[in-house]
Amino acid sequence: MALINKIREKSGVAVTVIAISLILFMVGGDLMGPNSFLTGGNNQSVGEIAGKEIDIKDFQNRVDGYRQNYEAQSGRSLGENELASLRDQAWNQFIVDIAYKKEFDDLGLTVTDQELVDMVQGNHLSPSIQQAFSDPTTGQFDKSAVINYLKNLKTLPIEQQRSWANFENNLKEERIRAKYENLLRLSTYTPKAQAEREYMAQNTKATINYLYVPYFSVVDTTIKVTDAQLESYLSEHRDEYKGSDTRSIEYVTFPVQPAKDDSASLYQEIKDLARGLATAENDSAFATMNSDINLPINMSMANMSDQLKEAVKTFVPGGVYGPYREDNTYYIYKYDGIRKDSVSTARASHILIRAENQSDSAKAAAKTKAEGILAQIRAGANFEALAATSSADPGSAQRGGDLGYFQNNGAMVKPFEEAVFSMSSPGLVNKLVESQFGYHIIKVTDPRSNTLYRLATIGKTIAPSQSTRDEAYSKADQFVNSVSNKEEFLEAVNKNKELVLATANRIPETATNVNAIQNGREIVRWAFNDRTSLNSVSQVFETEDEYIVAVLTGKSDADKVKIDDFRDELTTKVRNQIKSEQITAKLKGATGDLESIAKKYGAGALVESATDITLATGFLTSAGFDPIALGKAFGLKPGSKSDVFSGENGVFIVELINKTEAPKIADFTQYKTQLTQSLEGRTSYLANEAIREKAEIKDKRAKFF
């Protein structure tokens, strides 16, 4: 402002205009922005919790505090994704301070000073304290380190003292939250009658025959669904369809891919670095200074890429090897021999057989199945093929059971880890291993080893040159300038065979990513901007490796649920209702056995059987798990047949062949425990949902960030 006054004194009216312009420039964002006073958007609230407005300044102060602590501990500035995470943390803390605190206060929950001392340095230490003061090498907690830290706390910089005060405050909040959840858990109760019903559901068995006509047997195109029918269905089932503020877009991307010249340039650079690495006095420091990717100096097989695992076997101490290319990164390694680690590494595959439920009979059946598979493998059957077809672990099953490399540091459950690391050579573990997940059949493919390879690594990622980026941007810019609405957008995409149209539906206002697009916040902000109308085309958005142009195709409003918000789901529901009516009308009044009824019905009708099914785990071959059909079946008398009825995915007629009632027992403790533990496991989630719903939270952060 001193500069402005000086200019005004010398230049009169003309410079006064300049001064005003400077003022507008400096504060223009506040005056003319979306939350400005002049435009009427002076609301500085980032949200509302239990009727209390959260001011942007208070919210930002909390975020800044978190950021300062984080940067002080990590020694680096935050990235955008990390900052977004801290904003979420700050927002959730406001929810705790306002909505949760009321619940805690109503129950009289507190943490006394004596209790805090006990948590920090007493006999009942907080897990957070144990983690913060554990030896990074051995993992062992050092209580004396806590005592020494507290003795010297007042001599530490003020920032560290504040950090400790915040840490203790968090410990208190964790303890109060734990007390609250424990109180709720301990209040759960399962009546004997409910436990008895669960026992009956798990142990009463039935054999049934059923006629099943799936909805999909009627071709969708033969069923016409009108908007009036959709509206009627939505009106009748309004509680099932909760509204939300979302946006849907279609978009095209213009990738920024390194050109051939970019790759050649980097290849020459990394060859020069290889010569420097070979002669560097401190090779690890040289590698750290020149690498785009930080890798540990001492690497086990668990840390290595597949390519490096094979290559390192040929390395000689003192040698420099590479470059090796993995995706868009070139690597060179200087090898300095091996050393032994306190932690061992191994590689194994497994086949997991899981019980259908926690009953003794289900566990026995799973064990029998696992023993049968183990016997097949011992007899020469292919482990990988059986893993692919039989394992209940979908992640490893598609890799033939392979779990990759892991260490004996608790990465795997204890029984599994003990079995693998007891093997000194590759091969099949000659027994079943039971864990809380089920029965494991284990094959050790690379036995335990505590060998570490000392490798100074430089990784350089191929980055597109500025000319390459400019070329990609030019294509995106030409595209966006050639279209002005959705129709022109789609027409231009169809004409350009290089472009691929992608869709992102029901994007929430707080989203940071859009499908696989990282850091897509600007796209989301554009889609939610009040000035962005349906079918309008965006500007060019830039990410690290591509440019994006989008068109807004849909909007939904939390307070105004429309059929378009759930059109696909509603159409399926209404279409199935119509199909059900048509199938039922055709089967109504049919007589004879199920086979003859199916024959009269024609194509689409299936007659199947299910033996020894239960209400808890009944599975019908073609219909899958259908609780309506199971309930109807178990409600029949042996030898009787139901009327036509609609199930989850089709129309049924069910015939009960026989039913074996569960044996009489006096003690239902096992089933009572099962139900109670299940309810206790959901307590935290259910309490959280109830408190948030009662607080009527309105999150407006997306308008600011």
Side-chain angles (χ1 to χ4, degrees):
M1 291 300 293
L3 173 62
I4 295 173
N5 290 331
K6 187 174 182 180
I7 294 173
R8 185 185 295 116
E9 290 171 4
K10 293 189 174 183
S11 304
V13 175
V15 178
T16 301
V17 174
I18 297 174
I20 294 171
S21 299
L22 285 171
I23 294 171
L24 288 174
F25 175 77
M26 289 186 289
V27 301
D30 294 326
L31 292 175
M32 305 304 293
N35 293 303
S36 72
F37 291 100
L38 294 183
T39 58
N42 61 341
N43 188 345
Q44 296 297 299
S45 167
V46 295
E48 183 180 315
I49 302 169
K52 181 175 181 179
E53 295 280 350
I54 310 301
D55 187 79
I56 180 64
K57 292 181 181 178
D58 295 334
F59 179 77
Q60 192 59 52
N61 286 340
R62 180 164 287 182
V63 173
D64 289 342
Y66 288 163
R67 178 166 56 184
Q68 289 167 10
N69 289 338
Y70 186 98
E71 291 179 347
Q73 293 174 17
S74 65
R76 61 179 179 82
S77 298
L78 274 74
E80 183 55 38
N81 284 344
E82 293 166 318
L83 188 55
S85 178
L86 288 190
R87 290 192 190 108
D88 287 339
Q89 183 180 338
W91 178 251
N92 287 327
Q93 189 58 51
F94 272 107
I95 295 174
V96 171
D97 292 347
I98 298 170
Y100 278 82
K101 190 174 184 303
K102 183 179 184 305
E103 302 296 324
F104 301 158
D105 291 346
D106 288 347
L107 292 168
L109 298 177
T110 60
V111 173
T112 64
D113 292 341
Q114 294 85 350
E115 189 176 357
L116 181 60
V117 171
D118 189 41
M119 291 166 61
V120 173
Q121 53 184 302
N123 297 321
H124 302 91
L125 295 169
S126 164
S128 297
I129 287 288
Q130 296 182 45
Q131 181 180 1
F133 290 90
S134 291
D135 188 306
T137 304
T138 65
Q140 295 297 311
F141 170 68
D142 185 359
K143 190 172 182 178
S144 63
V146 184
I147 306 300
N148 291 333
Y149 183 86
L150 293 175
K151 284 181 179 178
N152 297 312
L153 182 60
K154 292 186 177 180
T155 66
L156 296 176
I158 190 66
E159 290 80 8
Q160 291 191 34
Q161 294 184 44
R162 288 173 180 164
S163 293
W164 178 257
N166 289 333
F167 181 66
E168 284 194 331
N169 190 55
N170 289 337
L171 292 181
K172 293 172 69 174
E173 290 179 353
E174 287 175 10
R175 177 59 60 88
I176 290 179
R177 176 73 176 266
K179 288 181 178 182
Y180 179 72
E181 292 182 358
N182 286 336
L183 186 64
L184 292 177
R185 272 194 288 270
L186 292 172
S187 69
T188 58
Y189 174 71
T190 301
K192 179 184 175 183
Q194 190 175 352
E196 186 174 357
R197 282 198 301 272
E198 181 65 18
Y199 166 74
M200 299 296 290
Q202 291 187 25
N203 294 280
T204 297
K205 297 181 178 181
T207 296
I208 67 172
N209 293 333
Y210 57 93
L211 181 150
Y212 172 58
V213 183
Y215 295 138
F216 66 73
S217 66
V218 179
V219 180
D220 286 353
T221 54
T222 65
I223 307 297
K224 303 301 180 184
V225 178
T226 67
D227 280 3
Q229 290 171 311
L230 297 179
E231 196 67 62
S232 175
Y233 185 92
L234 177 60
S235 178
E236 294 172 3
H237 300 82
R238 185 72 63 177
D239 291 343
E240 299 174 25
Y241 296 91
K242 300 297 183 182
S244 58
D245 293 319
T246 68
R247 298 292 184 267
S248 297
I249 64 171
E250 291 182 342
Y251 62 93
V252 290
T253 61
F254 298 82
V256 183
Q257 297 176 335
K260 186 176 181 180
D261 291 345
D262 300 330
S263 178
S265 174
L266 180 66
Y267 187 76
Q268 183 58 49
E269 179 187 351
I270 203 164
K271 284 172 64 178
D272 295 339
L273 287 171
R275 288 190 285 271
L277 182 61
T279 58
E281 292 185 11
N282 188 330
D283 52 16
S284 61
F286 183 87
T288 300
M289 289 174 59
N290 290 282
S291 181
D292 294 339
I293 298 171
N294 292 324
L295 292 172
I297 293 296
N298 296 302
M299 298 174 68
S300 69
M301 285 290 182
N303 304 124
M304 296 182 186
S305 66
D306 290 340
Q307 182 176 220
L308 180 57
K309 288 186 186 100
E310 294 301 317
V312 75
K313 298 173 184 176
T314 66
F315 290 179
V316 175
V320 175
Y321 299 89
Y324 299 95
R325 182 170 178 173
E326 296 178 16
D327 296 324
N328 279 340
T329 303
Y330 285 108
Y331 292 94
I332 51 174
Y333 306 96
K334 184 174 182 181
Y335 179 54
D336 194 28
I338 62 173
R339 72 178 186 85
K340 298 300 180 181
D341 189 18
S342 59
V343 177
S344 294
T345 300
R347 184 174 186 172
S349 300
H350 81 144
I351 300 172
L352 174 64
I353 305 301
R354 199 193 308 269
E356 290 185 355
N357 55 63
Q358 293 302 307
S359 67
D360 292 340
S361 59
K363 289 181 179 179
K367 185 176 183 180
T368 300
K369 180 180 178 181
E371 287 172 339
I373 294 173
L374 180 59
Q376 292 180 56
I377 296 170
R378 286 175 181 154
N382 184 278
F383 185 99
E384 289 72 21
L386 285 171
T389 58
S390 304
S391 181
D393 177 4
S396 66
Q398 61 185 358
R399 300 188 300 272
D402 182 30
L403 295 164
Y405 284 90
F406 50 89
Q407 297 178 320
N408 61 338
N409 57 2
M412 298 294 181
V413 290
K414 189 173 181 180
F416 188 98
E417 187 176 277
E418 289 177 345
V420 171
F421 286 93
S422 67
M423 297 279 285
S424 57
S425 59
L428 189 70
V429 175
N430 201 30
K431 63 176 183 178
L432 296 180
V433 175
E434 184 180 4
S435 76
Q436 63 261 45
F437 299 107
Y439 294 96
H440 304 265
I441 302 161
I442 304 172
K443 176 183 177 182
V444 176
T445 51
D446 197 350
R448 68 178 187 269
S449 170
N450 63 345
T451 300
L452 290 177
Y453 299 81
R454 191 183 187 283
L455 294 162
T457 307
I458 295 178
K460 300 294 287 185
T461 301
I462 306 170
S465 63
Q466 188 58 49
S467 62
T468 301
R469 297 194 67 88
D470 290 345
E471 183 180 351
Y473 177 81
S474 178
K475 291 180 180 179
D477 189 51
Q478 288 175 16
F479 176 86
V480 80
N481 286 323
S482 69
V483 299
S484 59
N485 54 49
K486 179 182 177 182
E487 183 178 344
E488 293 177 358
F489 179 96
L490 296 177
E491 184 179 347
V493 172
N494 290 332
K495 287 180 179 178
N496 190 334
K497 302 303 180 185
E498 294 182 1
L499 296 178
V500 177
L501 186 67
T503 300
N505 288 322
R506 302 183 67 79
I507 306 168
E509 192 172 9
T510 56
T512 55
N513 300 334
V514 177
N515 289 347
I517 300 172
Q518 302 294 313
N519 299 324
R521 187 73 196 129
E522 287 306 309
I523 301 174
V524 178
R525 285 173 63 85
W526 165 80
F528 277 89
N529 192 302
D530 292 338
R531 294 187 294 272
T532 302
S533 58
L534 274 176
N535 301 324
S536 61
V537 179
S538 73
Q539 71 270 29
V540 177
F541 296 108
E542 180 181 5
T543 66
E544 189 173 330
D545 54 6
E546 61 189 354
Y547 294 100
I548 300 109
V549 179
V551 59
L552 186 65
T553 58
K555 294 183 178 183
S556 70
D557 189 324
D559 299 324
K560 299 176 182 177
V561 179
K562 306 182 297 295
I563 59 174
D564 279 338
D565 298 343
F566 300 96
R567 181 171 288 276
D568 290 342
E569 299 98 311
L570 292 171
T571 299
T572 298
K573 292 287 189 181
V574 173
R575 186 188 290 129
N576 283 345
Q577 277 190 347
I578 297 171
K579 289 181 179 182
S580 172
E581 292 167 2
Q582 291 182 357
I583 296 168
T584 300
K586 199 170 178 180
L587 289 172
K588 201 77 171 176
T591 58
D593 58 27
L594 297 180
E595 292 287 355
S596 62
I597 295 173
K599 189 173 181 179
K600 291 175 185 175
Y601 178 87
L606 305 172
V607 176
E608 297 176 337
S609 299
T611 304
D612 287 342
I613 60 172
T614 69
L615 270 173
T617 60
F619 191 85
L620 307 178
T621 306
S622 296
F625 181 70
D626 194 307
I628 298 174
L630 290 174
K632 290 279 188 179
F634 276 82
L636 294 172
K637 293 180 179 179
S640 62
K641 188 168 56 181
S642 74
D643 292 330
V644 181
F645 66 89
S646 298
E648 294 282 339
N649 298 300
V651 177
F652 290 86
I653 299 175
V654 177
E655 182 180 21
L656 179 64
I657 305 304
N658 60 63
K659 182 166 65 175
T660 304
E661 297 289 347
K664 297 286 186 182
I665 61 172
D667 185 6
F668 296 97
T669 302
Q670 173 187 344
Y671 301 93
K672 188 171 185 176
T673 300
Q674 284 179 19
L675 293 172
T676 302
Q677 288 177 345
S678 175
L679 184 57
E680 288 175 348
R682 302 197 307 273
T683 296
S684 177
Y685 169 77
L686 294 173
N688 180 67
E689 290 298 299
I691 291 173
R692 287 172 178 260
E693 183 177 350
K694 183 180 178 182
E696 297 182 343
I697 297 169
K698 297 177 182 177
D699 187 352
K700 305 173 187 174
R701 290 178 293 151
K703 297 187 182 299
F704 295 85
F705 306 103

